[in-house]
Amino acid sequence: MEIFKQIAPLQAYLSNQKQSGNKIGLVPTMGALHDGHLTLVKASKEQHCITVCSIFVNPTQFNNPEDLKKYPRSLDKDIELLQKVECDVLFCPDEAEIYPIATALSFDFGDLERVMEGKFRPGHFSGVGIVVSKLFNIVQPDHAFFGQKDWQQFAIVKRLVSDLSFSLTLHSVEIARERDGLAMSSRNQRLSVSERKNAVAFYTALSLAKQAHKQGKSVQELNAIVEQCIGEFPSIQLEYFEVADRSNLSSLNLVTDPSQAIMCIAGYAGEVRLIDNMFLD
Ligand code: AMP
C-alpha cells in the first residue's frame, strides 16, 4: 500500500494511475478503522478501482471540542487493517496540509441540515461539506463510497455533488453490525463494558419499531415503542428518533411508501454519542 501524507505526491501517483486507464475510488474516513470502513474499501475494490482510503480527523465538523479531543486515533493498526484488505493507497494528511490557513468557508444545506444530526450538531455538515469537497478536489475520484450508517451525511454529500457538479459516482454501503446488532462505530471503543452491552438498545429499538410498522402501527406508536424500549436500558439516553423521507429527510407522520422511508435514531451510551438507522421496507 502506498502511503501519502502530502497532496502533491499523492496527485502525481494518481495521475499516473489515471493515465494507465485506472479508475479511482475514494473512501473518506476519520480512522480508528473497523469492519464497517473495510466494507467500503471492499466495495471500491469490487468496482475495480485503485482505492484511496483517507484518514483525517476533520476539526471543522466537530461542534464539540471535547468530542474532537477524545476521538480515537490508531494509525498503525489502521494501516495493518487496510493492508489486509489490499487497499491501494492511504492518504493521511495532517491538519496543516488540509487547512494551511483556517477556512472561512461555510456550507448551508438548507432543510437537509435543519433536522436530526444537523439540529443537534450545529455546523457539523458545513464541516463535512468542506472536507469532502477538498478530498474530491484533491483525489478527483471516479467513485466515492460512504456508509449507510451516516444516512443524513450521504444525502448531504449527494446534494453537494449535484450542487457543485462533481463528476463522480456516489455509492452508499450497507451498515456493518456487531454480532448483537450494534452498528460498528469508531466511537464504540470508548464504551465501558456495561455501556457496550446496553448500546444494543438503539438497534433493538429500531428492530421493534420496524416490526411494529409491519403490523400496521402508526408513526406515533413507533415513537412510543422506541421511547419505552430505550428507557429499559440503563445508561442509554435517547436524543431523537425520526421516521423520515430517505431523500429529503423530512419528518413523516404517515408512511405511505415504506420503500422511501427510513428510521433514524441517535442518543448516548454513557457519554458516547451513537447513531443508527434502518430502512422501513
Ligand atoms: P467515519 O470514520 O466515522 O467518518 O466513517 C467513515 C465512513 O465509514 C462513513 O462513510 C461512514 O458512514 C462509514 N461507516 C462508519 N461506520 C460504518 C458501518 N458500521 N458500516 C458501514 N459503513 C460505516
Side-chain angles (χ1 to χ4, degrees):
M1 183 170 69
E2 304 285 336
I3 301 179
F4 298 99
K5 284 179 93 65
Q6 280 160 337
I7 295 169
L10 169 74
Q11 287 185 322
Y13 175 86
L14 292 176
S15 141
N16 269 335
Q17 291 294 337
K18 284 181 194 178
Q19 271 168 18
S20 313
N22 288 321
K23 297 278 179 217
I24 310 296
L26 173 66
V27 176
T29 82
M30 297 204 297
L33 301 181
H34 50 67
D35 281 351
H37 296 113
L38 302 182
T39 58
L40 304 188
V41 172
K42 287 177 194 158
S44 170
K45 305 268 311 172
E46 275 163 23
Q47 297 285 330
H48 308 291
C49 289
I50 294 290
T51 299
V52 182
C53 176
S54 62
I55 295 185
F56 180 63
V57 182
N58 173 37
T60 63
Q61 73 186 69
F62 282 82
N63 52 315
N64 175 349
E66 203 50 24
D67 194 22
L68 172 61
K69 213 166 86 187
K70 289 191 176 152
Y71 199 84
R73 291 159 171 89
S74 53
L75 190 59
D76 291 341
K77 191 176 156 229
D78 291 349
I79 291 173
E80 268 178 42
L81 290 172
L82 289 172
Q83 277 167 336
K84 273 194 193 142
V85 292
E86 296 180 355
C87 183
D88 302 290
V89 178
L90 167 61
F91 177 48
C92 49
D94 63 20
E95 199 177 320
E97 188 70 5
I98 299 294
Y99 297 109
I101 50 169
T103 182
L105 266 183
S106 69
F107 281 102
D108 184 339
F109 293 97
D111 289 346
L112 283 180
E113 69 160 89
R114 303 276 179 270
V115 293
M116 300 192 286
E117 292 304 282
K119 192 159 137 193
F120 287 91
R121 302 182 67 189
H124 168 66
F125 286 117
S126 176
V128 169
I130 292 166
V131 79
V132 169
S133 301
K134 279 175 172 277
L135 289 168
F136 285 171
N137 280 326
I138 292 166
V139 174
Q140 308 215 345
D142 301 284
H143 297 268
F145 299 81
F146 292 83
Q148 185 203 309
K149 172 159 169 280
D150 299 88
W151 183 260
Q152 189 170 12
Q153 170 172 281
F154 183 70
I156 278 175
V157 171
K158 215 164 153 184
R159 187 63 195 269
L160 180 77
V161 165
S162 159
D163 283 357
L164 293 183
S165 310
F166 283 112
S167 170
L168 54 87
T169 307
L170 277 183
H171 301 259
S172 162
V173 179
E174 208 179 302
I175 303 177
R177 298 184 178 279
E178 302 289 354
R179 271 163 179 259
D180 62 355
L182 172 66
M184 289 185 182
S185 165
S186 307
R187 291 191 162 91
N188 294 350
Q189 292 180 24
R190 290 178 48 207
L191 299 171
S192 70
V193 174
S194 79
E195 285 162 359
R196 165 64 191 84
K197 203 170 123 221
N198 289 310
V200 74
F202 300 109
Y203 175 72
T204 309
L206 288 173
S207 305
L208 282 177
K210 183 166 175 168
Q211 211 180 335
H213 166 73
K214 287 206 164 129
Q215 291 162 353
K217 301 271 197 260
S218 67
V219 169
Q220 215 183 355
E221 286 168 312
L222 302 194
N223 266 293
I225 287 165
V226 165
E227 270 178 35
Q228 198 200 337
C229 171
I230 296 286
E232 285 165 10
F233 287 85
S235 76
I236 304 296
Q237 276 213 312
L238 182 64
E239 194 169 61
Y240 65 77
F241 167 75
E242 287 280 348
V243 181
D245 179 280
R246 277 185 211 179
S247 306
N248 64 26
L249 306 180
S250 64
S251 194
L252 297 176
N253 294 320
L254 184 72
V255 180
T256 45
D257 181 0
S259 74
Q260 286 309 305
I262 185 166
M263 299 180 294
C264 298
I265 197 165
Y268 285 86
E271 288 186 353
V272 182
R273 190 170 183 283
L274 299 173
I275 59 172
D276 199 349
N277 65 66
M278 200 176 273
F279 291 150
L280 259 183
D281 61 351

mmCIF file of all heavy atoms in Angstrom, residues 19 26 38 60 88 102 107 208 227 248:
data_model
loop_
_atom_site.group_PDB
_atom_site.id
_atom_site.type_symbol
_atom_site.label_atom_id
_atom_site.label_comp_id
_atom_site.label_asym_id
_atom_site.label_seq_id
_atom_site.Cartn_x
_atom_site.Cartn_y
_atom_site.Cartn_z
ATOM 1 N N GLN A 19 -3.579 7.858 -16.119
ATOM 2 C CA GLN A 19 -3.022 7.749 -17.481
ATOM 3 C C GLN A 19 -2.942 6.295 -17.930
ATOM 4 O O GLN A 19 -3.031 6.008 -19.123
ATOM 5 C CB GLN A 19 -1.652 8.397 -17.534
ATOM 6 C CG GLN A 19 -1.754 9.876 -17.880
ATOM 7 C CD GLN A 19 -0.475 10.626 -17.659
ATOM 8 O OE1 GLN A 19 0.598 10.028 -17.553
ATOM 9 N NE2 GLN A 19 -0.569 11.933 -17.574
ATOM 10 N N LEU A 26 -12.615 6.521 -3.903
ATOM 11 C CA LEU A 26 -12.236 7.200 -2.645
ATOM 12 C C LEU A 26 -13.130 6.737 -1.498
ATOM 13 O O LEU A 26 -14.361 6.699 -1.623
ATOM 14 C CB LEU A 26 -12.371 8.723 -2.808
ATOM 15 C CG LEU A 26 -12.159 9.548 -1.524
ATOM 16 C CD1 LEU A 26 -10.719 9.439 -1.011
ATOM 17 C CD2 LEU A 26 -12.522 11.024 -1.765
ATOM 18 N N LEU A 38 -13.983 -1.133 6.345
ATOM 19 C CA LEU A 38 -13.359 -2.067 5.399
ATOM 20 C C LEU A 38 -14.349 -2.539 4.337
ATOM 21 O O LEU A 38 -13.953 -2.822 3.206
ATOM 22 C CB LEU A 38 -12.728 -3.253 6.143
ATOM 23 C CG LEU A 38 -11.657 -2.848 7.179
ATOM 24 C CD1 LEU A 38 -11.044 -4.094 7.822
ATOM 25 C CD2 LEU A 38 -10.556 -1.972 6.589
ATOM 26 N N THR A 60 -13.164 20.736 11.471
ATOM 27 C CA THR A 60 -14.280 21.652 11.184
ATOM 28 C C THR A 60 -15.656 20.975 11.297
ATOM 29 O O THR A 60 -16.675 21.657 11.253
ATOM 30 C CB THR A 60 -14.156 22.309 9.790
ATOM 31 O OG1 THR A 60 -14.208 21.288 8.787
ATOM 32 C CG2 THR A 60 -12.873 23.094 9.639
ATOM 33 N N ASP A 88 -5.210 0.185 -1.890
ATOM 34 C CA ASP A 88 -4.039 0.562 -2.689
ATOM 35 C C ASP A 88 -3.292 1.746 -2.114
ATOM 36 O O ASP A 88 -2.068 1.792 -2.147
ATOM 37 C CB ASP A 88 -4.488 0.897 -4.124
ATOM 38 C CG ASP A 88 -5.199 -0.284 -4.747
ATOM 39 O OD1 ASP A 88 -4.517 -1.285 -5.032
ATOM 40 O OD2 ASP A 88 -6.440 -0.233 -4.903
ATOM 41 N N ALA A 102 -6.821 28.804 8.279
ATOM 42 C CA ALA A 102 -8.170 28.479 8.768
ATOM 43 C C ALA A 102 -9.188 28.864 7.698
ATOM 44 O O ALA A 102 -9.135 29.976 7.162
ATOM 45 C CB ALA A 102 -8.445 29.224 10.067
ATOM 46 N N PHE A 107 -20.902 25.995 4.533
ATOM 47 C CA PHE A 107 -21.983 25.490 3.690
ATOM 48 C C PHE A 107 -23.294 25.518 4.468
ATOM 49 O O PHE A 107 -23.301 25.333 5.687
ATOM 50 C CB PHE A 107 -21.730 24.018 3.322
ATOM 51 C CG PHE A 107 -20.734 23.817 2.217
ATOM 52 C CD1 PHE A 107 -19.435 23.425 2.496
ATOM 53 C CD2 PHE A 107 -21.096 24.004 0.898
ATOM 54 C CE1 PHE A 107 -18.521 23.223 1.477
ATOM 55 C CE2 PHE A 107 -20.189 23.798 -0.133
ATOM 56 C CZ PHE A 107 -18.895 23.403 0.159
ATOM 57 N N LEU A 208 -37.631 -3.297 16.788
ATOM 58 C CA LEU A 208 -39.006 -3.376 17.305
ATOM 59 C C LEU A 208 -39.931 -2.452 16.533
ATOM 60 O O LEU A 208 -41.069 -2.808 16.213
ATOM 61 C CB LEU A 208 -39.027 -2.963 18.788
ATOM 62 C CG LEU A 208 -38.552 -3.994 19.808
ATOM 63 C CD1 LEU A 208 -38.572 -3.394 21.206
ATOM 64 C CD2 LEU A 208 -39.458 -5.233 19.749
ATOM 65 N N GLU A 227 -39.276 4.896 22.560
ATOM 66 C CA GLU A 227 -39.002 5.555 23.850
ATOM 67 C C GLU A 227 -39.034 4.557 24.992
ATOM 68 O O GLU A 227 -38.170 4.550 25.862
ATOM 69 C CB GLU A 227 -40.022 6.662 24.112
ATOM 70 C CG GLU A 227 -39.537 7.980 23.556
ATOM 71 C CD GLU A 227 -40.531 9.100 23.757
ATOM 72 O OE1 GLU A 227 -41.230 9.119 24.792
ATOM 73 O OE2 GLU A 227 -40.618 9.954 22.848
ATOM 74 N N ASN A 248 -35.354 13.574 1.022
ATOM 75 C CA ASN A 248 -35.276 14.961 1.500
ATOM 76 C C ASN A 248 -35.221 15.039 3.024
ATOM 77 O O ASN A 248 -35.127 16.128 3.579
ATOM 78 C CB ASN A 248 -36.435 15.804 0.926
ATOM 79 C CG ASN A 248 -37.790 15.317 1.422
ATOM 80 O OD1 ASN A 248 -37.899 14.716 2.495
ATOM 81 N ND2 ASN A 248 -38.834 15.589 0.647
#
